[in-house]
């Protein structure tokens, strides 16, 4: 079993008798999702992606990734929100935070802010290196990536000429509509599709995530195989871990636990936390409802947020994600003179010390009145990542339905855009 939900630390917070009706609700929501009988049912294509993805496009993604690796030392990925977070989360999960420092192909993400400092830094990082660009936007009109692409399109054309630039620019967008699709057709960019029935935050297993992940050198066959295993286990209307997680978080929410903290003891999980925050925040935070998703990386953040979690307002619960084995293992050595008093750790691996730190943290937080769940994952590889993605996507859809919201829309995101367009003087605003 690759992934296990360990509920043992919940025993003083969650009574079986209280959980039982919510488990029934979760199973019923999963059944409705399977039948397409749910709010937002025009955006549930992600549910069957691991088994029903477009095989021809998948092969094209692998070819494009190979070409990018053969012709470039830098891939600039332009996108924001769901068109950004999944790919970056996966690459850092699989390659670690220092991935780029070791990689033959560096992957830089831009267009996820309007910071000219960041964009100039990436332009500087491109100097003297061959570059490919993957611009990702389902709508094709999002301002942040549009600004970044305008600048990079010009940069590529100045550097390579129009014809060669067109060979180095890959666009991931709607199959037929939108500015980016029209431009790509006109300029001759190779294009990949964001399916109509898959929303941004559920799109990591489409070309949106797969092209950057494959270009970074990771095995997208194994990723999809893991997601398939996840689909098989979690899509059912039964008592599986994904449905249980959805039920537990709703029970805790109804009991006043309004904030969920995602916790990992591996910094390589930092961007996965960001992906989770978008997935759950954008899916559930609406109609005056929703669990607020937050995250910490430990033990780092125990030295900044630990005090609040242990002792602050009791409206939190935590979901820990742990990994059974470390990619590279370091053992604490014995020092001839125990100058730092650490010889009691000699012979232990850092992974053992880290696992003990996690256990100690959970026990302390439970004592402090914070309900804790633990998701145990075998290791940080493609297969486990695929299963983890499906676990959380499915749980999010079920949990949103239990909350009584449409987990597939994001009407609130428009508010800042309208103001920004008006203040910037965009015609029509
Ligand atoms: O999840 C979502 O739908 C959003 O986060 C979008 O992905 C984000 O706003 C970017 O949109 P687009 O891909 O249309 O540029």
């Amino acid at each position: 079993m690759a992934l296990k939900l360990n509920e043992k630390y919940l025993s003083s917070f969650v009574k079986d008798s209280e959980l039982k009706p919510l488990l029934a609700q979760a199973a019923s929501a999963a059944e409705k999702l399977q039948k397409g009988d749910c709010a937002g049912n025009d955006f549930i294509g992600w549910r069957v992606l691991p088994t029903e993805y477009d095989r021809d496009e998948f092969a094209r993604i692998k070819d494009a990734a190979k070409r990018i690796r053969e012709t470039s030392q830098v891939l600039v990925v332009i996108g924001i929100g769901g068109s950004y977070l999944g790919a970056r989360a996966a690459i850092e999960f699989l390659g670690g935070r220092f991935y780029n420092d070791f990689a033959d192909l560096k992957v830089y993400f831009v267009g996820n802010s309007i910071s000219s400092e960041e964009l100039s830094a990436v332009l500087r990082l491109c100097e003297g290196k061959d570059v490919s660009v993957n611009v990702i936007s389902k709508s094709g009109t999002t301002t942040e990536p549009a600004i970044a692409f305008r600048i990079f399109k010009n940069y590529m054309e100045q550097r390579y000429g129009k014809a060669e630039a067109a060979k180095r620019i890959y666009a991931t967008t709607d199959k037929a509509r939108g500015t980016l699709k029209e431009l790509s057709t006109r300029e001759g960019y190779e294009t990949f599709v964001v399916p109509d029935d898959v929303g941004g935050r559920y799109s990591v297993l489409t070309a949106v995530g797969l092209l950057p992940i494959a270009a970074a050198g990771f095995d997208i066959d194994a990723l999809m195989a893991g997601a398939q295993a996840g689909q098989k286990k979690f899509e059912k209307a039964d008592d599986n871990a994904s449905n249980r997680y959805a039920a537990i978080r709703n029970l805790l929410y109804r009991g006043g636990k309004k904030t969920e903290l995602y916790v990992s003891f591996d910094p390589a999980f930092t961007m996965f936390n960001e992906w989770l925050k978008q997935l759950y925040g954008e899916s559930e935070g609406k109609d005056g409802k929703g669990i607020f998703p937050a995250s910490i990386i430990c033990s780092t953040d125990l030295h900044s947020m630990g005090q609040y979690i242990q002792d602050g307002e009791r409206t939190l619960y935590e979901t820990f994600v742990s990994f059974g084995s470390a990619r590279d293992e370091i053992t604490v050595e014995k020092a001839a003179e125990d100058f730092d008093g650490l010889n009691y750790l000699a012979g232990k691996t850092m992974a053992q010390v880290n696992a003990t730190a996690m256990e100690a943290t959970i026990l302390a937080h439970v004592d402090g009145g914070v309900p804790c769940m633990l998701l145990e994952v075998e290791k940080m590889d493609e297969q486990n990542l695929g299963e983890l993605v499906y676990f959380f996507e499915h749980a999010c859809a079920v949990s949103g339905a239990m909350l009584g919201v449409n987990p597939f829309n994001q009407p609130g995101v428009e508010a800042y855009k309208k103001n920004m367009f008006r203040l910037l003087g965009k015609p029509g605003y």
Side-chain angles (χ1 to χ4, degrees), residues 80-83 137-140 142 145 200-201 278 282 410:
I80 195 166
S83 292
S137 178
K138 184 174 183 177
S139 62
T142 309
R201 58 191 175 275
Q278 187 202 0
E282 215 167 72
Q410 54 284 330

Side-chain angles (χ1 to χ4, degrees), residues 9-14 252-253 255-261 306-320 360-373:
Y9 303 106
L10 283 172
S11 58
S12 50
F13 304 97
V14 171
L252 293 171
Y253 177 66
K257 304 295 181 193
K258 307 273 186 199
T259 299
E260 175 168 19
L261 257 188
Q307 172 62 38
Y308 188 103
I309 300 165
Q310 188 65 43
D311 220 10
E313 199 174 353
R314 303 296 72 190
T315 50
L316 300 172
Y317 69 92
E318 290 176 288
T319 300
F320 287 74
T361 305
I362 296 176
L363 293 174
H365 290 179
V366 166
D367 275 350
V370 181
C372 293
M373 282 181 268

